[in-house]
Amino acid sequence: MNAVYRNATPPATPWLSEGFFDFWSARVHPLWTLRRPLARLVSRRAASSDAVTLELQPNRHFQGLTAGQHVNLGVEVDGRLTTRSYSPTLLPNGCLAITVKAIAGGKVSNHLARDAAIGEVFALGQAFGDMTVPADAPQRLLLLAAGSGITPMRALLRQLDAQSMPAPVELLYWARRREELCFVDELNALASRHSNFRLRLLLTRDPQTPDARIDAHDFSGIAALDTARVLACGPGGFVEAARQRLQGQVASFQSEAFSLPQLPAQEEGRVQVQLLRSGRTLTVPRGMALLHALEAEGIQPASGCRMGICNTCVCGKVSGITRHTLTGDYADEPSTLLKLCVNSASTDLTLEL
């Protein structure tokens, strides 16, 4: 099943403002809005020693989900709405399951993992992302996951399970310790049902026999590696190490990182960033992602995934040179669109903010 809740947009009602309608309709039912997608928390359960799985009920304005995609979730903490990106699994009852790891100092992750009350309602963005597997084009897959990077892989594997695993699939799933692994019973059950699905659980801090990290892992035992499509998800350093480790050895490599890798400190000093719409000029560090630099100055641009996928933080760059924080590439073209979360300032910049 690839999508749910595909409903037509309600007809325009020029005599009734959307805000007015949503304000009063929410008093009848918390998910009733004129157009806005929302989701309500209906359950929460432990997924591992440091992660929980939340089940969310979307309203009818959510337009559906393809396995492997992400959604932005708007969460109000301390009176401020903050958006974070998660990769849900579509459940048989039409709800979305997201798995959240509580991070030290992370207001949103800790609120969702510990404090959010059953029944709390969140803003819900439409699904985005292209780390998906077409149902009509089966191919050999090598899935690489670390930490909560297992969540899109779980969704993909459920889709493939429903299709009777049409092509060979191998999942390598890294964690530090066994108690930090998520969905182990479900993954083992999949391996038992499908002879062409192979599962390997790799523990880098196992007290008896620690496994190698991704950069030192031996991939020679994987059959037909050169024909495999690789999908990798995890922290930025994990994803970048996987890319370098498998470069030139696989048919294709696609990845998503939920934290940005640290590039070598090639740039020092500070530059000026002029914000045309607000009339402000800031001094920010070279090498720091512009989204973080602006937030440090008290400016809160719209943002979502914070990893260069959802385009929520895109704004116009009028002039200046930027550096992509994932690849290290420089861009000097004027009058272009810029993703604030994955670009830093190399020279003075002028932005349409």
Side-chain angles (χ1 to χ4, degrees):
M1 183 183 297
N2 289 336
V4 292
Y5 295 104
R6 298 216 178 263
N7 292 75
T9 301
T13 53
W15 51 271
L16 181 65
S17 75
E18 184 170 346
F20 181 86
F21 180 92
D22 290 355
F23 178 83
W24 288 107
S25 64
R27 277 140 183 81
V28 179
H29 191 287
L31 294 181
W32 284 2
T33 64
L34 191 64
R35 295 181 179 85
R36 287 191 304 138
L38 297 175
R40 178 171 58 178
L41 177 61
V42 296
S43 72
R44 176 173 47 220
R45 62 185 181 278
S48 70
S49 63
D50 60 353
V52 299
T53 295
L54 310 180
E55 186 174 331
L56 306 174
Q57 176 193 3
N59 68 4
R60 68 189 186 93
H61 300 304
F62 181 62
Q63 295 177 359
L65 173 75
T66 298
Q69 288 188 308
H70 292 255
V71 297
N72 285 335
L73 202 67
V75 182
E76 187 171 329
V77 183
D78 297 333
R80 177 183 166 190
L81 186 68
T82 304
T83 302
R84 291 291 184 267
S85 178
Y86 298 97
S87 181
T89 297
L90 176 62
L91 302 178
N93 62 1
C95 287
L96 305 175
I98 64 169
T99 298
V100 180
K101 181 177 180 179
I103 300 171
K107 286 189 175 182
V108 173
S109 66
N110 281 283
H111 179 78
L112 291 174
R114 300 168 183 164
D115 302 328
I118 301 301
E120 184 169 339
V121 174
F122 310 112
L124 180 65
Q126 302 295 357
F128 63 89
D130 59 0
M131 198 168 77
T132 58
V133 177
D136 58 350
Q139 60 187 129
R140 180 181 295 273
L141 295 175
L142 173 59
L143 309 180
L144 308 176
S148 55
I150 191 61
T151 55
M153 306 309 179
R154 180 200 191 195
L156 290 169
L157 287 168
R158 284 194 169 198
Q159 172 191 320
L160 294 168
D161 179 38
Q163 299 165 4
S164 300
M165 211 66 66
V169 179
E170 185 154 352
L171 169 63
L172 307 184
Y173 176 17
W174 274 265
R176 291 174 299 182
R177 304 173 184 86
R178 184 165 298 276
E179 60 269 22
E180 296 176 12
L181 294 168
C182 297
F183 318 126
V184 173
D185 291 343
E186 180 177 336
L187 295 172
N188 281 326
L190 278 173
S192 297
R193 282 199 299 273
H194 301 287
S195 60
N196 59 347
F197 171 56
R198 183 184 178 196
L199 170 66
R200 292 200 60 192
L201 304 176
L202 301 157
L203 306 174
T204 58
R205 296 186 185 177
D206 183 87
Q208 305 299 324
T209 54
D211 292 295
R213 296 178 180 273
I214 182 74
D215 55 354
H217 181 75
D218 182 7
F219 286 91
S220 61
I222 297 178
L225 181 63
D226 60 337
T227 67
R229 178 191 176 195
V230 177
L231 303 178
C233 188
F238 170 85
V239 166
E240 187 57 29
R243 186 189 309 277
Q244 294 181 11
R245 183 72 178 82
L246 293 172
Q247 189 172 14
Q249 301 182 54
V250 296
S252 64
F253 186 98
Q254 190 173 359
S255 66
E256 290 178 352
F258 51 77
S259 65
L260 301 182
Q262 298 296 316
L263 292 173
Q266 298 177 0
E267 298 184 330
E268 298 178 350
R270 302 173 73 86
V271 295
Q272 288 192 333
V273 178
Q274 182 182 5
L275 309 180
L276 292 181
R277 294 179 185 172
S278 63
R280 295 184 59 180
T281 299
L282 311 174
T283 301
V284 303
R286 284 191 174 98
M288 177 183 289
L290 283 163
L291 180 59
H292 296 297
L294 293 170
E295 290 175 338
E297 295 293 328
I299 297 171
Q300 303 295 330
S303 65
C305 68
R306 307 175 80 89
M307 54 186 177
I309 300 174
C310 73
N311 294 320
T312 304
C313 67
V314 166
C315 79
K317 181 189 77 172
V318 177
S319 63
I321 299 174
T322 55
R323 184 184 185 217
H324 199 286
T325 57
L326 299 179
T327 65
D329 294 335
Y330 292 88
D332 59 0
E333 299 89 349
S335 302
T336 57
L337 294 177
L338 177 75
K339 295 180 181 180
L340 295 174
C341 66
V342 290
N343 282 281
S344 63
S346 293
T347 67
D348 292 346
L349 295 180
T350 301
L351 301 178
E352 293 177 346
L353 279 176

